Amino acid sequence: SSMPITFPSEKVVVGYWNTRGLGAPLRMICEYAGIEYVDQTYAQKVKEDGSYDGSCWFVDDKPGLLKHNPLMNLPYVVDGSTVVTQSNAC
């Protein structure tokens, strides 16, 4: 389920789809460093027509995070008021 992101937070938030993928190294770094963090995962649901519903990310959380980082994407890390995201933008 989606978690509203609040600033500042006492814990780092790591966000990614509910798969290992690109979010795994971020979670591993937090574990290795002993940092308390929130593992914010997003689950895509299969719709009746066989397509996927990713609204938990695209509708629920991404719009609010875009206010803090205009290149918002998954994976991301929120540390207080700092929002860092994966991007191929140049």
Side-chain angles (χ1 to χ4, degrees), residues 1-86:
S1 74
S2 292
M3 178 191 90
I5 306 297
T6 58
F7 299 95
S9 174
E10 292 182 18
K11 293 183 182 179
V12 169
V13 178
V14 175
Y16 193 62
W17 297 114
N18 64 343
T19 61
R20 286 186 192 165
L22 298 172
L26 301 172
R27 291 187 292 268
M28 287 183 223
I29 289 168
C30 289
E31 291 289 337
Y32 180 79
I35 296 171
E36 289 189 40
Y37 69 100
V38 175
D39 183 15
Q40 177 60 46
T41 58
Y42 299 94
Q44 295 188 51
K45 297 179 177 134
V46 180
K47 298 194 290 186
E48 287 185 25
D49 64 2
S51 63
Y52 291 90
D53 175 9
S55 63
C56 58
W57 163 244
F58 292 107
V59 175
D60 296 343
D61 284 1
K62 185 174 182 174
L65 288 166
L66 280 168
K67 295 173 186 173
H68 302 281
N69 186 327
L71 300 175
M72 202 62 222
N73 201 0
L74 292 175
Y76 66 82
V77 174
V78 176
D79 184 8
S81 61
T82 302
V83 179
V84 180
T85 187
Q86 143 72 53

